[in-house]
Amino acid sequence: MLAPGLVTLRFHNPKVARETIAGQFVNVLPKAGAIDPMLRRPFSVYNTDGDEAEIIIQAHGRGTNILADTAEGEMLDVLGPLGNPWNYKSGDFKTAVLVIGGVGVASMLLLTRALVKEGLPVQSYYGARTKDLLALQDLTNLHVATDDGSEGFHGSVINMLRKDLEARKIEQPKLFVCGPTGMMRAAAVLAAEYGIPCEVSLETEMACGIGICQGCPVPTDDTTFQKTGKRFRLVCMDGPSFSAETITI
Amino acid sequence: MLAPGLVTLRFHNPKVARETIAGQFVNVLPKAGAIDPMLRRPFSVYNTDGDEAEIIIQAHGRGTNILADTAEGEMLDVLGPLGNPWNYKSGDFKTAVLVIGGVGVASMLLLTRALVKEGLPVQSYYGARTKDLLALQDLTNLHVATDDGSEGFHGSVINMLRKDLEARKIEQPKLFVCGPTGMMRAAAVLAAEYGIPCEVSLETEMACGIGICQGCPVPTDDTTFQKTGKRFRLVCMDGPSFSAETITI
Amino acid sequence: MNGVESNGQAKADMRVRLRGVEFKNPVLVASGTFGYGAEAKKYCDIEQLAGIVTKSVSWKPRPGNPPHRIIETASGMLNSIGLANVGVHTFVSEKLPYLAKFDTKIIANIAASSMEEYRDVLEHIEQHATPNLVGYEINISCPNVKDGGLSFGTNVERTEELTTLLRASTDRLLIIKLTPNVTSVAPFAQACERAGADAISLINTLVGMSIDIYTHEPRLNTVTGGLSGPAIKPIALAQVYQARKACGIPIIGIGGIVSAEDTVEFLIAGACMVQIGTANFVHPDAGIRVARGLAEFLQKQNISAVGDLVNSLRIRAELKAAGW
Amino acid sequence: MNGVESNGQAKADMRVRLRGVEFKNPVLVASGTFGYGAEAKKYCDIEQLAGIVTKSVSWKPRPGNPPHRIIETASGMLNSIGLANVGVHTFVSEKLPYLAKFDTKIIANIAASSMEEYRDVLEHIEQHATPNLVGYEINISCPNVKDGGLSFGTNVERTEELTTLLRASTDRLLIIKLTPNVTSVAPFAQACERAGADAISLINTLVGMSIDIYTHEPRLNTVTGGLSGPAIKPIALAQVYQARKACGIPIIGIGGIVSAEDTVEFLIAGACMVQIGTANFVHPDAGIRVARGLAEFLQKQNISAVGDLVNSLRIRAELKAAGW
Ligand SMILES: Cc1cc2nc3c(=O)[nH]c(=O)nc-3n(C[C@H](O)[C@H](O)[C@H](O)COP(=O)(O)OP(=O)(O)OC[C@H]3O[C@@H](n4cnc5c(N)ncnc54)[C@H](O)[C@@H]3O)c2cc1C
Ligand SMILES: Cc1cc2nc3c(=O)[nH]c(=O)nc-3n(C[C@H](O)[C@H](O)[C@H](O)COP(=O)(O)OP(=O)(O)OC[C@H]3O[C@@H](n4cnc5c(N)ncnc54)[C@H](O)[C@@H]3O)c2cc1C
Ligand SMILES: Cc1cc2nc3c(=O)[nH]c(=O)nc-3n(C[C@H](O)[C@H](O)[C@H](O)COP(=O)(O)O)c2cc1C
Ligand SMILES: Cc1cc2nc3c(=O)[nH]c(=O)nc-3n(C[C@H](O)[C@H](O)[C@H](O)COP(=O)(O)O)c2cc1C
Ligand code: FES
Ligand code: FES
């Protein structure tokens, strides 16, 4: 167990394990053959290792509770890898700043690995309500914030990051953000303020995960709309990560 | 395992274990908290032992498959005991003849015990498609028939019984029948032919098992209808066992 | 009357009023899903329920339809009971007196095949009314008998006429139970209001079907039957919302409710009470589980009275402007 | 053409004809649940499908509704996509040519807010028709846009008028997609037949709703949306059966189908083809799983042609006599 409430599922799936690039996700059936709950649930690919892959599940609803109870040896019906990778090859930064809230940590291990491979320095800013909820392994240059001050910075991860940006501690940063919507919005505002690139990985309800239901729109921002004529983009096909300035979170 | 395809579930339930009389049943939720499958499934109480009770499940549909997979230690949501006991105190017989088909065997252990306690001799006629499907333990004075002749009498259990009735081998018999509908119908016809009392334990779909849904009717026979004015009786409340001559199977 | 919990939080006021009648809480059990009380009593403390809506009663006893009467479906079930009931004479001589022993409200549900039969049954019950009989629910929406009132329930004029007729026969609560098997529930809700009904209840079951693929026969002996259970909850909720927009009289929400959370959805959509149907078959005490869960929800959310939830749907201004 | 299996049993004939058009098997994928083919191609061998009914296309592109567009419900889901589509110009310039590469039939689904728009879209597609475009499905039943045709779909006269108009514009298959949100589907089926439609398809989604009990807001941005999935299968089946009794033209059954067994029920009830909708979201190859399962079923049951199942419901004489 990584942290209370988080469960890791490891499964054999050569396709997912070999083809996933950091930031992509899989769509997992809570219970094969069941018609309730019926829809797949999307999860970031947390780790890949040979022919095996891992996801981290925060159990809080009908589907995640069932998945978190998966017994050793049970079959898991997994569709993927889906979506686009983090845009870590954009070339417009010198330091990758991972901004992480809660289970958003699940998309950061592969990203860290990819960045390290690219030779790009990584700073990880990780916030949680309290110390016990942190899933700390695998993060590089970790800066921790907790709402209750039980570990690291006392306050929000965004405020911690703001101080470091203010102090110009980070060279040419680009933010890679995954966490609760409120945090992603705040990160986007902060990035805009400092004029630094920022990518956010979004969560929306998904029926299909592959672009056939049109169920996962995110509104574009007005400029993007005027440029592209597109009022919405699809999180599953066009995302899940977007350049923060192109969308309305 | 009793026989292939049959699973025994043993559960702690003082009420069911202490109060059940032979012939009563319990209504069991396939999966607590699930809304599909939604309805409980009825099962005969097979055995009771202190505060524990047992049911035998033949897994063949959505609910029974889930139940047959119940893991050791899981909670089972059981309502019961329900329905009426076998009418083994009717006093109109000297020999109890159990006529059993397939999983109908599940209601025979408690009946055998009760009859023995009453000091009444028991003869058990048990039919199955083939030898391997017989769940033989606990039956007294067993006469076996198999459709394929792999064990005992080669043919139907009803034909085997007919021969013994013809040969007047059985003193003042009463039939207690539980098995497939076709077998119960044949047993009823046989009993009528020989003018012997016959009780059949019926299976119908049930939503509630306690008399509030009216979902489990069995048509009465015409005489009974004329006498009682009742066109239907409820298997869960008025049964599950009925005097064969009062109903239309 | 409203207690204070040991933790200092005030208990929420669970009471609901329908015209003069005060109910303990908003949770009734639905017609046809709780018998006449006696059967479920063993499993459910009836006095914790706001009330019992009794199985539809007709002038003469009805044997009901031949088997099969029920079929499980995805998150629901089909039934074709066929209004099996004891008839109004046994109802008033046995069932009502039995139910009079309980500290809960009784609503007598009536089904009939003609205006006159509806009126006769109602008037017969009026003449033998017991103290806790607070009103009538008129079933004009049973989909699984040929003469079960659906000819009223799918015709606005007949709905209005029938309601007017029955209104003249009782001062007790008059509740019309509507069918979802119509293009729009709104005109029916309005017809009931015009004719003086105290409330409408909805939904009854939806017409559904199931086929045995090996015998090619319909699984229900009446070919089609009525669909109930969680599967239909979204439909029921939409119809309560549409009825709420269309009329001003109280609404009793029914359809697929299994939990306190489901109930809250119906209250927010505009119902002031709910009925628990199919869920009783799974847990005969479903009604009191729901009522208890609802009280806990109110307390946790710091809502002082259940009435505060009723019709509290928040639709954002831009959606309203767009006509939703 | 019909092979013989190694075990000596003849393979069943899976072909279906709708007026001149022959389909490989009876299994189509439903509009709005398979995109325009490109997205699902990776997961589904499109050429094993009888055909693809494309996402509803309108004259101008439509962005669709704002989030949230989908909500899971008991054995089903609500959607409020809002007919998001690329518009007919992109449809004919990009989507149709792309789909022309596959050995499968294409049925273009059209949604519009006026008679003229329906006709214009259809005629525009006619002018740019590709070889495997075999017909049109006319969506007069979308419940989640204000001007999505439901005003046609709930009005028998307008349904007939529209069908007549479109019939004059094409010799390709003309299929009218009906809504279940009506009191009776029968007069709509008959109107389509009178006006010369080649077939009707049903059902589209049922109007449903879901509420966030903490914010008191509707979960879907359009307040109500369309319910689909296994939950609605019994309703869909009943409507297919009722339409079958009412009209003589072919019926394409839709609603909650996830398996070959479900499909067999629809065929027995009177449909000659089916469409797979929501199930595609769970398994993008649901259509070919169903088609394969159906072939196996036929073989096991020794049924030589899928057509033998169609409209093979057996209703016992006494029930027929009783008017069921
Ligand atoms: C691209 C992507 C990556 C994700 N990665 C992870 C991860 O690595 N670990 C993790 O624990 N969670 C992750 N999530 C969130 C996860 O998908 C939801 O927590 C999960 O779907 C909730 O299902 P449930 O049955 O428990 O909740 P329920 O509330 O019962 O679900 C009902 C419906 O709502 C949808 N839903 C509910 N909450 C969310 C949500 N937050 N996001 C999207 N759909 C939701 C469900 O998919 C389902 O369709 C991710 C979401 C997305 C879109
Ligand atoms: C009084 C009584 C005692 C029984 N005792 C036993 C027993 O001891 N052991 C045992 O294995 N079975 C017993 N049965 C049969 C058992 O209840 C069914 O096999 C079971 O309900 C099938 O459920 P399913 O989900 O597997 O099938 P599904 O086909 O998925 O069930 C769908 C619906 O049909 C009902 N149903 C299907 N088959 C039957 C059936 N044969 N009888 C009643 N309802 C049915 C189910 O309850 C459910 O509501 C008994 C039935 C009754 C009425
Ligand atoms: C088995 C059964 C019998 C019913 N009998 C009646 C009835 O006699 N009169 C009536 O008005 N409604 C009857 N109903 C409808 C319910 O009262 C209720 O309106 C419907 O089931 C929807 O609620 P639910 O989904 O909670 O079950 C019956 C429903 C079921 C399932
Ligand atoms: C997300 C979604 C989008 C849909 N879009 C359309 C559409 O654009 N046009 C249309 O005619 N039907 C549309 N439908 C309805 C389906 O084609 C189908 O009629 C309905 O979903 C019932 O079938 P199902 O239960 O198999 O999904 C849509 C359904 C869903 C779930
Ligand atoms: S989830 Fe279906 S299109 Fe994105
Ligand atoms: S199963 Fe409900 S009355 Fe018998």
Side-chain angles (χ1 to χ4, degrees), chain A residues 58-70:
Chain A
Q58 182 166 43
H60 67 96
R62 303 200 305 154
T64 48
N65 282 334
I66 293 172
L67 282 168
D69 269 357
T70 309

Side-chain angles (χ1 to χ4, degrees), chain A residues 79-113:
Chain A
L79 207 67
L82 306 174
N84 300 304
W86 286 106
N87 191 4
Y88 59 86
K89 294 185 173 175
S90 54
D92 54 355
F93 64 102
K94 289 206 173 130
T95 313
V97 177
L98 315 193
V99 189
I100 312 162
V103 73
V105 71
S107 70
M108 296 302 179
L109 171 60
L110 292 187
L111 177 58
T112 301
R113 258 191 226 149

Side-chain angles (χ1 to χ4, degrees), chain A residues 25 27 42 204-217 233-238, chain D residues 39 69-70 81 281:
Chain A
F25 67 98
N27 215 1
T204 57
E205 289 94 355
M206 292 185 176
C208 71
I210 62 169
I212 60 178
C213 76
Q214 305 268 331
C216 60
R233 309 202 69 194
L234 295 181
V235 171
C236 75
M237 289 260 291
D238 304 321
Chain D
E39 304 82 357
R69 287 187 185 171
I70 54 169
I81 307 299
F281 303 152

Side-chain angles (χ1 to χ4, degrees), chain A residues 15 27 29 35-41 62 77 79-82 205-208 210-219 231-232 234 237, chain D residues 32-35 39-40 42-43 63-77 81 84 229-230 258 278 280-284:
Chain A
K15 190 176 161 62
N27 215 1
L29 211 51
I35 47 182
D36 183 82
M38 184 186 63
L39 298 175
R40 291 173 183 270
R41 270 48 177 173
R62 303 200 305 154
D77 187 333
L79 207 67
L82 306 174
E205 289 94 355
M206 292 185 176
C208 71
I210 62 169
I212 60 178
C213 76
Q214 305 268 331
C216 60
V218 53
R231 186 66 283 181
F232 300 107
L234 295 181
M237 289 260 291
Chain D
T33 68
F34 207 75
E39 304 82 357
K42 216 169 130 187
Y43 307 95
N65 294 327
H68 303 267
R69 287 187 185 171
I70 54 169
I71 297 297
E72 196 184 53
T73 63
S75 294
M77 62 177 277
I81 307 299
V258 304
T278 302
N280 292 311
F281 303 152
V282 182
H283 299 292

Side-chain angles (χ1 to χ4, degrees), chain D residues 293-324:
Chain D
L294 183 61
E296 284 163 21
F297 176 87
L298 293 171
Q299 216 174 327
K300 266 198 214 136
Q301 300 294 310
N302 263 312
I303 299 171
S304 61
V306 72
D308 295 351
L309 283 175
V310 175
N311 203 13
S312 64
L313 189 69
R314 293 193 191 120
I315 299 185
R316 277 184 274 140
E318 72 263 29
L319 283 173
K320 270 203 183 143
W324 289 106

Side-chain angles (χ1 to χ4, degrees), chain D residues 239-252:
Chain D
Q239 299 222 350
V240 165
Y241 164 69
Q242 284 157 351
R244 180 69 297 150
K245 287 199 297 183
C247 77
I249 51 176
I251 294 173
I252 303 173

